[in-house]
Amino acid sequence: MKEVQRMLYGGDYNPNQWGEEIWAEDMRIFKQAAINSATINVFSWAKIQPSEEIYDFDQLDKIVEMLSKENYEIVLGTATAALPAWMFKKYPEVGRVDFEGRRHRFGQRHNACPNSLVYQKYVARLVEKLAERYGDNPNVAVWHVNNEYGGECYCENCEKAFRVWLQNKYQTIEALNAAWNFDFWGHTVYEWDEIVVPNVLGDAMSYDSTAFAGLSIDYRRFVSDSLLENFKLERDCIRKFDQSTPITTNMMGSYKGLDYFKWAKEMDLVSWDSYPSYNTPWSYVALTHDLMRGLKDQPFMLMEMTPSQQNWQPYNSLKKPGQLRAQSYQTVAHGADTIQYFQMRRTKGGCEKFHGAVIEHVGTENTRVFREVAELGLELAALQDKILDAKTTSDVALVFDWDNYWALEYTSGPNKDLKYVDQIHQFYRYFYDQNISVDFVPFDADFSKYKVVVAPVLYMIKEDMAERLEDFVASGGTFVTTFMSGIVDQSDNVHLGGYPGPLRKLAGVWVEEIDALAPEQRNTIMFNDETIGTTSLVSDIIHLEAAQSLGAYTDNFYATTPFATINKFGEGHTYYIGAQLDQASLTKVLTNVCTTAAVTPTIAEKTALEVSYREKAGKGFYFILNFTQETQPLPQIFAGKVDLLKNQALTQETTLAPFAVLLVEA
Amino acid sequence: MKEVQRMLYGGDYNPNQWGEEIWAEDMRIFKQAAINSATINVFSWAKIQPSEEIYDFDQLDKIVEMLSKENYEIVLGTATAALPAWMFKKYPEVGRVDFEGRRHRFGQRHNACPNSLVYQKYVARLVEKLAERYGDNPNVAVWHVNNEYGGECYCENCEKAFRVWLQNKYQTIEALNAAWNFDFWGHTVYEWDEIVVPNVLGDAMSYDSTAFAGLSIDYRRFVSDSLLENFKLERDCIRKFDQSTPITTNMMGSYKGLDYFKWAKEMDLVSWDSYPSYNTPWSYVALTHDLMRGLKDQPFMLMEMTPSQQNWQPYNSLKKPGQLRAQSYQTVAHGADTIQYFQMRRTKGGCEKFHGAVIEHVGTENTRVFREVAELGLELAALQDKILDAKTTSDVALVFDWDNYWALEYTSGPNKDLKYVDQIHQFYRYFYDQNISVDFVPFDADFSKYKVVVAPVLYMIKEDMAERLEDFVASGGTFVTTFMSGIVDQSDNVHLGGYPGPLRKLAGVWVEEIDALAPEQRNTIMFNDETIGTTSLVSDIIHLEAAQSLGAYTDNFYATTPFATINKFGEGHTYYIGAQLDQASLTKVLTNVCTTAAVTPTIAEKTALEVSYREKAGKGFYFILNFTQETQPLPQIFAGKVDLLKNQALTQETTLAPFAVLLVEA
Amino acid sequence: MKEVQRMLYGGDYNPNQWGEEIWAEDMRIFKQAAINSATINVFSWAKIQPSEEIYDFDQLDKIVEMLSKENYEIVLGTATAALPAWMFKKYPEVGRVDFEGRRHRFGQRHNACPNSLVYQKYVARLVEKLAERYGDNPNVAVWHVNNEYGGECYCENCEKAFRVWLQNKYQTIEALNAAWNFDFWGHTVYEWDEIVVPNVLGDAMSYDSTAFAGLSIDYRRFVSDSLLENFKLERDCIRKFDQSTPITTNMMGSYKGLDYFKWAKEMDLVSWDSYPSYNTPWSYVALTHDLMRGLKDQPFMLMEMTPSQQNWQPYNSLKKPGQLRAQSYQTVAHGADTIQYFQMRRTKGGCEKFHGAVIEHVGTENTRVFREVAELGLELAALQDKILDAKTTSDVALVFDWDNYWALEYTSGPNKDLKYVDQIHQFYRYFYDQNISVDFVPFDADFSKYKVVVAPVLYMIKEDMAERLEDFVASGGTFVTTFMSGIVDQSDNVHLGGYPGPLRKLAGVWVEEIDALAPEQRNTIMFNDETIGTTSLVSDIIHLEAAQSLGAYTDNFYATTPFATINKFGEGHTYYIGAQLDQASLTKVLTNVCTTAAVTPTIAEKTALEVSYREKAGKGFYFILNFTQETQPLPQIFAGKVDLLKNQALTQETTLAPFAVLLVEA
């Protein structure tokens, strides 16, 4: 596989929206920012194929030629994410049908029915032509398939394909009835064509949920698989003509719609688009990077980020001076090998015209935003040999499972405010605050390389997961889980015999009941050392079987029963947290976990700074970032070192202003 | 008619969702709770009739046989509330069309078009087969038709049936134009087929309201009647084979969709499903029981209640220890002769898997919930001879009228926050707090047996209601009504000549104007004795004609005009309350009412406890319940008596903890 | 053109909803209020044309005859706003298709597809018959075409008509692609029939917005034009038979849907319906009157107002005593030559039955509301010679542009809370509070007659507007504009080269970046004189080119950069306000503007009263109104004058209670 030897720095570039006189000006300006990469052709289908029988590559040829001449790394889009108008007009079935049963027409983007044979036919034809034409261009560094795959279709065609998918999975209609517990509410089906896709006109209970979570979860899987088949179709078309260029598609962090762990197996590289809001916590931004890194346990491409503001949020604040730099280094610190922007030149019309860009509407390089982009570009250019492809290692694994995500949020009861990513983030934030590196892993990961495996709200236990967790703990590992874990199997049928089902032995507890707290309600708790705390959301009523209590509720009718426990199991330990703890109480439990498991932070010294670590070829690099709003002292371990970015010596007195960044070799 | 000689204790039981090995275990466990009843076959149509021509009763036979052998009282569902998938596939017209004009497909439940001849044909065939097969089984104690009738259909079929219904009602198109005031906005119709059902594509002004309340109200009546015809169809099919078993269907308290007083006339028994939320006031829970008791002025079946938590509310809190018992006795105190749960064994999949059950997912009797269920079961078993079929008597009648409910809430202006059940509850709460028993009565009730008739927001005055109220008051009765009363006739046309229209003479007032207060606005008032209060929502501007003022507004431009009045009329009195009073002011007026009418509470002593009274065969029973959150002293009238539940002597020092219950013979 | 010689006083009158015995009673009662006008036949199509081939004018003849005999000025409706049921039944295509693609049926009103040839055919037939029959009746004072034109249709018919409209506008498909920047997201179209109307099934991003503002704006223009064609069709039908009676249709203030400046050119008279809510600021009520006056720069008809309460608002408060009078004189003060009510007699059924009326449901003249109506009527009758057709003159012009309204609110980013009319009102309120008269003008007005032209958020600069503004300022005018100005051209493509685009030279500033503030965020500012203020919503980062700073931000990263500027340009000045200022700061800037431009208030004396001025035939009249909640002193300039309404002498001690009104000759 072709490997890029430099850190890509550039982004989405749409010269087709501009006259050619602008192109030369672009090249001139970009050079000042050490830009070396451009993502092109993402939305050009209508331009390349103006009608069913005509293809016209003239303009794209010119763009590729210019970029090649300038020695850009070209990230080449396949242009299949926005269908040409003629296709909708001639073949209305290419349009998706929404959850309300409405067939969509030409408009927007990302709206092709994934199971439309018409769509698939024209995609394959287009992508093969592109691969044949550009696949051997050495400047084509990466193929960018489609764009931000997502969404759902509920058309008749998808309904038929879903039934086939179900037949493959369940083999018999009896197995399907059992999996979905279709005897409930008299839903028993006898023929495959009696199955109706989940939608407002069928089993929906609210927008996007139905009376049968098993059905809904399987539809999610089917949709994720259908879109993945679209991706694979394009990939395979490319591979007919180009065996060496890496192929990716841009993902979206914790996006709910697609099982990204399954997708990543089919991709050469993970790439993704990072768009935090003005008030997104930096811990959450880090979480999404780590999740994307975890998909293949490899460095990733940052495919899109805005250099200044966005347009589609309610309040599109500017990035403050230094923020772009700090955010970029955080991205690299958590595993990125590229920094790419959306967009290189601000579009002049359409809904994204207020989205930030390297070159803004004023059209010159004389802007604050451009200066910050240029400074960063020059810095990265000097840095790339050191960092490119550096690895991250962690003692802590955090399980992220899309099946679980869907199942947990489809479930009716006990508390509608329980959200998967919020729960994940609450745990992640502890490790982030402590500067303890975390790997995100799938449910079927090899746990043995970790000291601690954390799986909050592990609602769905499927396949041999419980056994593998038992092996992990028995061998000395530390496992942490919570309320609403071990409840259901792959199709949302409850594991009978007492919660937490298959985890009961491992956790050494039986959860008799699960109380729900309304937003205005709190329970109080007391740790064994008499520290006081509060809980919210849900409360397990726990019976100790083999486990020991870490503390007990002090009010409600289950006062004196444990809210959290530890269980010695073989050589290791399981922590079970039976309620949503306030952040201080959770910190207390997780500090206990880290002590038990001998997990230590990236640097021993306490600091409010974010400190991350990547290593390559025997060398280690610390990324030191100030995301607080106050100036912070340098951790003394770094005094006497040199900041590789500014090539400045660090002393005991060095301080970091907000958004300051240091890079220090270990 | 067959009469059950014991208090039914059991609930919804779905052995068809489980293997037969579980059935025996169920029987063993249920016995420990003195369970004697099971509701079966509620959602089994697809199981019984797997295709259009095949019926299969094998499993149901086994279930009935087992339960009969165990001498259960069987509440036998007719299984018609969830249609089999094959029926939707073959006859799509059985699916409802919603307010947005969309035909629904297979999914959920309660979604058959009530006017579909296909649906009616297969319902009749199924129910006749069931009645023929099980009607003479002596253990079949009650027929449970369909399930929680409700919802609406707006299909072409219903539209045609609606036009026929209208022809029967109005005879001529001129009468219909007059009734709906169709000259307004040029709506005059000349042919019956010009009438369009109310819906989003027609006259809708918001979801479920239209520009013509007369049309909307008539459609509500038509839908209620259409579903009632469905019930009667099933009832009559049963009666072909079984003349002696009582027939019911489960109702839903203050559910808006159906005119339950009209329905009750067609039912042998009223049964209903009670699902308060974690924060529902206990006065409201009592209200719904009293309303259900009032439908036939008879004891009712509690068909469903959860033994622990629910799943479909936003926050599904557990019942606290003792709460199940207290709630059950409240139900009995207000007229129930059964306690039945949904559900007997927790389903393992589908949207209700987190709904509480007698046997939970752990599958054993060793749970707090089961222990509470069992203790209650044993208590009730010991009690039933005393209480079964005991009567309640009241001096106070509270008018509840579905036509009025619909009309009041369809009306555009003066204040969108005016809700019928809120208004009813505000009055009910006074009597509840005072331990004064209340009967809910329909608009055409015999008022002569009451001392006081209360009819808040009696917006619609139809038929001879005004005359009958005049007779009641003239003969010495006390009538209480409020703002927004006497405004319109049966089709929402205003009674011209000054508000409150037909009640003007009776109330002795003319209401010249009706002001609306926004949520942030209040008026102040002063009673004749100089007590101060506040009003909100709406303010009548009242002219005294024959009435006397109880006090006046003290601000706004109508300061000095009365906010409430009393009118001597014949031998009796009418109170008119012209504004939404704060609770203390309303208490003051209603205390005045009770004094005037010589209405006294169940016990004379002041108490924060709920004290109710039922009597049977000359014996009276007091139900004493503590729904406060503090321990309460025993009313001294009961000192020296015995609590029949625990068989314990009560003393002057006896106290009642929260959720404590006493049953004392008078 | 016929000219009415008296001030119309009356309103919407629907005798067709009542028996003829009521008509005589109406005449008797109305006379007591000096009512001289009635608007009839607004919703009578179904009555006049009961089926496709039958017309029946009997009842309308009688009504016209009665009113003529009583010498009423008849405002004759054309009855085309509510289609007869038979038309929907026979020709379903007359119904509109909504934004969700749903064809509507018979129901409501204002729902005819404007491009339906069926609708147009029957409209023309009806209106010609009306014009022929009643056009020469001397009592027909004004034609009232249709009613409150508005709404949108998205049907296939409209889609086809839209494509023709686009062809006329853009000539070539290439020009259309360029105008809408259709290369963005691969939207390039090659055939006209590939264009899809904006709707949920197409390019919608939210209800009523799409990914392409250019498309959405053009559709707005097309819909406004389509409805205007409907109006012109009716107008031209009338003119075939009646060349002398003025023709109007009733407008709705700042209603977004129609380009009223374009409409007014086709109308003989502007008329409109004024329905403030209980909490609408009086400055906003005045704004809408001034806007309506500005449409033709002429006095207008107040076609509808409620004499007491409304029915369709959430909280329909009563008008307080005196409020009707004060509100009416405010209307006249801002340019009205009529006071007309909706409605003359309260309808007894349908959704407006709780809407106030001259005669209420009680049916008599003995009501507070009638008495206030009658007092006002007698006052106006005595007054009309003086005021009728009096003119208003202003030194200040406020630009209001519907294209700009649409474009600004369709734009995605930077801040979703930015609303056009809010911004206009914020500026208007300053002038209102200072009693400085303001004219609303279109973007293509003759600015030369004004001292100051104010154009807040002048987002769209089209045609030669920038040049004309430059001429205005160069000649000594003062121009005021704000953030989000000068951004785009007619189709929402950005004016490249730096904000504020075509206004950059005139304002002497370059706006490098536009920050968005979330609702919880504020920036602080300091004027050059050290006065402190705050800003919200958006913040421009301004570079002074030729302009001078009025003050600077004092926090955020752009502290020390200007928030507002003044630029000397030729003989005049441009003020640029780069952030949403708090009201005190805006007052400070605008006071500066008025000083610069030598603009003075209607009276020099400071007062909390509203003081307006109209003049006629060399005489001037001051309208002095108290809309505060406290009694206010008389401005001393009026001491010694006479109040023409009550014919009372005014002294230094005269005070005005809330809602008091004085009319004083200059």
Side-chain angles (χ1 to χ4, degrees), chain C residues 133-404:
Chain C
R133 193 172 195 96
Y134 303 110
D136 57 359
N137 180 328
N139 284 85
V140 174
V142 177
W143 284 96
H144 174 302
V145 168
N146 205 279
N147 186 64
E148 294 181 349
Y149 276 107
E152 299 84 26
C153 179
Y154 301 89
C155 75
E156 279 186 45
N157 222 21
C158 285
E159 190 166 65
K160 285 172 190 158
F162 181 47
R163 291 166 184 159
V164 172
W165 185 95
L166 291 169
Q167 271 182 286
N168 286 337
K169 174 168 182 177
Y170 292 109
Q171 303 297 323
T172 69
I173 201 81
E174 291 75 20
L176 176 132
N177 278 314
W180 292 352
N181 200 37
F182 250 21
D183 284 339
F184 175 74
W185 282 3
H187 262 50
T188 323
V189 289
Y190 297 91
E191 306 284 347
W192 293 98
D193 69 354
E194 290 171 11
I195 296 163
V196 172
V197 292
N199 79 94
V200 161
L201 307 177
D203 252 312
M205 304 206 75
S206 69
Y207 205 87
D208 177 50
S209 83
T210 71
F212 291 83
L215 163 64
S216 292
I217 296 164
D218 271 336
Y219 203 73
R220 283 274 191 195
R221 289 170 178 142
F222 164 74
V223 170
S224 178
D225 285 357
S226 295
L227 289 166
L228 182 55
E229 288 302 316
N230 288 173
F231 171 81
K232 286 160 66 180
L233 172 66
E234 296 205 25
R235 182 196 62 188
D236 296 346
C237 289
I238 293 168
R239 283 286 171 261
K240 286 188 196 165
F241 299 92
D242 173 1
Q243 283 78 43
S244 66
T245 309
I247 300 173
T248 190
T249 183
N250 49 342
M251 293 172 154
M252 297 179 287
S254 62
Y255 173 69
K256 189 173 176 177
L258 303 181
D259 182 347
Y260 279 159
F261 274 113
K262 190 167 181 183
W263 276 63
K265 290 178 184 148
E266 308 292 338
M267 297 163 62
D268 298 321
L269 278 176
V270 165
S271 66
W272 87 285
D273 302 345
S274 173
Y275 288 110
S277 299
Y278 78 95
N279 56 0
T280 304
W282 289 103
S283 57
Y284 182 78
V285 181
L287 179 160
T288 47
H289 292 310
D290 281 344
L291 178 58
M292 293 296 98
R293 177 173 52 76
L295 293 183
K296 291 187 84 73
D297 193 18
Q298 280 178 14
F300 60 87
M301 297 175 73
L302 182 76
M303 188 67 91
E304 294 184 20
M305 166 172 78
T306 179
S308 52
Q309 65 198 147
Q310 287 149 252
N311 71 286
W312 47 266
Q313 305 218 16
Y315 310 106
N316 298 282
S317 304
L318 295 171
K319 283 187 174 154
K320 294 185 193 304
Q323 181 176 346
L324 173 65
R325 181 172 179 252
Q327 189 174 336
S328 298
Y329 282 109
Q330 185 191 41
T331 309
V332 174
H334 288 271
D337 272 357
T338 79
I339 294 294
Q340 291 167 274
Y341 299 113
F342 183 88
Q343 49 193 336
M344 296 303 289
R345 182 180 275 272
R346 248 193 212 212
T347 184
K348 70 171 191 266
C351 63
E352 293 183 340
K353 70 181 183 294
F354 282 118
H355 195 289
V358 171
I359 302 176
E360 304 204 310
H361 286 140
V362 68
T364 74
E365 63 267 49
N366 301 319
T367 64
R368 176 183 76 93
V369 169
F370 184 81
R371 283 189 295 274
E372 296 202 29
V373 167
E375 285 166 25
L376 178 61
L378 296 168
E379 248 177 44
L380 290 174
L383 186 70
Q384 58 198 7
D385 292 345
K386 297 194 175 65
I387 298 301
L388 201 68
D389 206 34
K391 298 281 174 281
T392 306
T393 53
S394 309
D395 288 335
V396 177
L398 199 37
V399 176
F400 196 101
D401 180 45
W402 266 266
D403 274 347
N404 195 59

Side-chain angles (χ1 to χ4, degrees), chain A residues 256-271:
Chain A
K256 190 173 178 178
L258 303 181
D259 182 348
Y260 279 159
F261 274 114
K262 190 168 182 182
W263 275 64
K265 290 178 184 146
E266 307 293 339
M267 296 162 63
D268 298 319
L269 278 175
V270 165
S271 65

Side-chain angles (χ1 to χ4, degrees), chain B residues 81-93:
Chain B
L83 277 56
W86 60 258
M87 202 185 297
F88 272 96
K89 185 176 74 176
K90 195 156 179 188
Y91 306 105
E93 72 266 36

Side-chain angles (χ1 to χ4, degrees), chain A residues 516-581:
Chain A
L517 304 193
E520 72 278 14
Q521 297 177 326
R522 291 287 178 281
N523 282 329
T524 57
I525 54 172
M526 188 189 286
F527 282 86
N528 292 343
D529 68 1
E530 305 199 348
T531 308
I532 301 295
T534 62
T535 76
S536 55
L537 206 68
V538 297
S539 300
D540 280 350
I541 303 182
I542 296 173
H543 295 271
L544 299 172
E545 296 193 321
Q548 290 186 293
S549 171
L550 295 175
Y553 299 102
T554 54
D555 59 7
N556 218 322
F557 73 87
Y558 35 89
T560 77
T561 70
F563 66 83
T565 63
I566 180 171
N567 189 41
K568 183 96 170 73
F569 184 92
E571 300 300 307
H573 296 85
T574 298
Y575 284 79
Y576 184 91
I577 303 172
Q580 165 109 339
L581 304 181

Side-chain angles (χ1 to χ4, degrees), chain A residues 1-9 36-37 71-74 138-142 244 246 269 301 337-338 380-389 616:
Chain A
M1 192 72 61
K2 217 188 277 185
E3 271 190 47
V4 178
Q5 296 304 321
R6 49 185 177 168
M7 182 170 272
L8 267 57
Y9 190 61
N36 61 21
S37 151
N71 196 27
Y72 271 54
E73 307 287 345
I74 298 173
N139 283 85
V140 173
V142 178
S244 66
L269 278 175
M301 298 175 70
D337 272 358
T338 80
L380 290 173
L383 185 71
Q384 61 196 5
D385 292 344
K386 297 194 175 65
I387 297 300
L388 201 68
D389 207 34
K616 178 182 174 182

